[in-house]
Amino acid sequence: MTKLGRNDPCYCGSGKKYKNCHMQADNDAERERRAWAEAGRFLRRDIIRFAREERFATAVAKALPLYWNNLYTAETADEMSMPEALRFFDWFIYDYQPDGERLLDVYAEENRDGLSHHQQIVLDGWLTDTVTGAYELVSYDGQTLHLRDFMTGETYDIYEAGGHGNVEIGEVILTRLVPVHDQLEMSVSAAYLPAAEIADLADKLAAAKAADAETHPDADQQDFMRRHNHLLVHHALEHAAIQGRPPVARQNPDREDLKTQKIVTKMKKRLR
């Protein structure tokens, strides 16, 4: 919609100038929208900063090979690409529970009181209402993606600023959905499975859920996914290798950030 000037007729048809009709309400709504969006952006950055504190280094070292199926360890962690690092820390923050408590819960206990009103509400939603899993792209309307949970069939409408990107209808997105005020968004950049690589994913998840039910008979879907979300990554890594692609960035000789990684390697050698 074309942005109205102050003295243009209001879009509502009242006959008044925009400045004397809906302009104030629209400006207030836009400020509120920006406040929620900024709260989400701040929390994404701040929680990852928190997760990288030295006190969590041992937990990170244990979690890396589990998530990456031994393709990354503490010794090779700095070779992760930025999207890989973000996806790892997203799982580490929301799902990994080495001592029975998620890092997200620790962050909330220590930091919630110092957050703004908008940040507190967004964080509260992330503590209780995140949905993680594999989602089939059913359709899309611009920046709104219509997804279907690959396991449960439940549907979700989410906002994604970049639209559907390279994902085609029928393909599967591996991501976490988080509420930001009145919409669902992806917590970090997602991975996806091309149609040819979905293959036996349903059978793997069904087998894992049956096994999980033996020790956690009362678990709901999200409890199960918190314990086994890394299996989605393992599936993606396995099928990338089958298709002849490097499953992780450190094994890709043509990675886009190769120059940066060479600099990091040189710095590591100097520090030894």
Side-chain angles (χ1 to χ4, degrees):
M1 185 175 73
T2 303
K3 184 174 177 62
L4 291 178
R6 293 169 54 84
N7 293 313
D8 290 336
C10 188
Y11 57 80
C12 72
S14 66
K16 297 179 181 179
K17 292 181 178 180
Y18 181 50
K19 66 181 181 182
N20 296 324
C21 197
H22 275 85
M23 188 177 79
Q24 184 62 51
D26 288 349
N27 288 343
D28 291 344
E30 177 60 17
R31 279 193 292 271
E32 186 71 0
R33 184 197 68 77
R34 290 179 179 176
W36 288 114
E38 179 53 36
R41 284 192 293 269
F42 170 83
L43 286 172
R44 285 179 173 95
R45 294 191 302 266
D46 200 51
I47 295 172
I48 289 179
R49 174 203 58 76
F50 182 76
R52 295 178 66 184
E53 290 183 2
E54 183 64 29
R55 58 178 160 151
F56 302 121
T58 299
V60 168
K62 291 180 179 179
L64 275 162
L66 172 61
Y67 183 77
W68 289 113
N69 206 15
N70 294 309
L71 293 176
Y72 282 113
T73 64
E75 289 71 32
T76 57
D78 54 5
E79 296 180 51
M80 286 190 291
S81 67
M82 183 60 72
E84 287 176 336
L86 290 175
R87 287 195 289 269
F88 165 76
F89 274 106
D90 179 75
W91 169 81
F92 180 70
I93 289 162
Y94 283 90
D95 295 336
Y96 189 60
Q97 301 180 61
D99 300 312
E101 188 174 36
R102 297 179 302 164
L103 187 136
L104 184 67
D105 297 310
V106 179
Y107 174 86
E109 291 166 6
E110 297 184 11
N111 294 277
R112 187 183 184 281
D113 290 345
L115 299 176
S116 72
H117 171 71
H118 289 85
Q119 291 163 359
Q120 287 182 348
I121 293 176
V122 172
L123 176 61
D124 291 345
W126 293 4
L127 287 165
T128 59
D129 297 326
T130 61
V131 185
T132 184
Y135 303 93
E136 178 188 353
L137 178 62
V138 177
S139 61
Y140 53 86
D141 302 304
Q143 295 174 317
T144 300
L145 308 186
H146 308 292
L147 307 180
R148 179 165 50 229
D149 189 296
F150 192 73
M151 290 188 72
T152 68
E154 190 168 354
T155 58
Y156 301 91
D157 295 336
I158 73 160
Y159 170 79
E160 171 53 42
H164 67 99
N166 295 324
V167 185
E168 301 296 335
I169 290 175
E171 295 183 333
V172 170
I173 300 171
L174 308 179
T175 192
R176 185 184 316 279
L177 307 182
V178 296
V180 179
H181 186 39
D182 58 355
Q183 64 190 20
L184 285 174
E185 301 177 3
M186 297 183 192
S187 57
V188 295
S189 59
Y192 81 98
L193 295 174
E197 298 176 26
I198 298 171
D200 54 346
L201 177 60
D203 292 339
K204 288 179 180 176
L205 292 175
K209 191 165 187 178
D212 185 75
E214 294 181 4
T215 52
H216 301 88
D218 299 323
D220 62 20
Q221 177 66 12
Q222 283 310 299
D223 289 335
F224 163 72
M225 287 308 302
R226 286 195 187 104
R227 284 188 291 275
H228 298 284
N229 188 19
H230 60 281
L231 296 181
L232 299 176
V233 180
H234 292 188
H235 176 90
L237 298 172
E238 174 190 339
H239 281 271
I242 290 172
Q243 296 296 323
R245 298 195 315 275
V248 293
R250 66 182 289 263
Q251 296 182 346
N252 182 4
D254 301 317
R255 62 186 297 181
E256 294 181 359
D257 59 349
L258 185 59
K259 183 176 180 180
T260 301
Q261 287 302 315
K262 287 180 178 178
I263 294 172
V264 171
T265 301
K266 289 181 180 179
M267 290 177 64
K268 284 174 64 178
K269 289 180 179 179
R270 290 172 184 170
L271 292 172
R272 286 173 182 165

